[in-house]
């Protein structure tokens, strides 16, 4: 787990300032929808289908794995921890 966290932080750190800003803006939109997708995929079925995907064939991600990713990104991305 620690190695994955370091890889995510390292990848974020390799982005230039504009890319980090763009990612931070996108993260504020991605985070709540991703959590909804994990906690209640049925409620997201319409949006998944609108994207041209079949909700029944999406690869799985556990809530525990999502929370690990979310924690790392929240630490990296200024908008999610109130620094922006």
């Amino acid at each position: 787990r620690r190695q994955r966290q370091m890889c995510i932080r390292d990848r974020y750190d390799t982005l230039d300032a504009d890319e980090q800003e763009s990612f931070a803006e996108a993260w504020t939109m991605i985070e709540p929808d991703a959590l909804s997708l994990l906690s209640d995929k049925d409620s997201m079925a319409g949006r998944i289908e609108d994207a041209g995907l079949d909700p029944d064939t999406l690869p799985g991600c556990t809530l525990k794995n999502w929370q690990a990713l979310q924690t790392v990104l929240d630490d990296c991305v200024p908008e999610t921890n109130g620094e922006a």
Side-chain angles (χ1 to χ4, degrees):
R1 179 178 176 202
R2 179 82 177 134
Q3 185 175 3
R4 270 187 304 212
Q5 291 173 339
M6 290 172 56
C7 287
I8 293 166
R9 283 188 187 104
D10 289 348
R11 175 66 181 122
Y12 182 81
D13 289 342
T14 64
L15 301 176
D16 66 36
D18 288 336
E19 291 170 327
Q20 285 185 357
E21 183 178 345
S22 294
F23 184 86
E25 290 171 4
W27 178 239
T28 61
M29 296 179 281
I30 294 166
E31 185 178 20
D33 284 344
L35 189 55
S36 293
L37 180 60
L38 284 170
S39 60
D40 187 10
K41 186 165 81 171
D42 291 340
S43 72
M44 298 289 287
R47 292 180 71 182
I48 294 167
E49 291 165 351
D50 287 347
L53 303 171
D54 180 352
D56 295 326
T57 62
L58 289 178
C61 176
T62 67
L63 185 56
K64 182 179 175 180
N65 286 343
W66 167 252
Q67 288 170 334
L69 174 64
Q70 185 180 29
T71 298
V72 172
L73 290 175
D74 283 348
D75 288 344
C76 292
V77 179
E79 277 74 5
T80 62
N81 61 20
E83 293 177 14

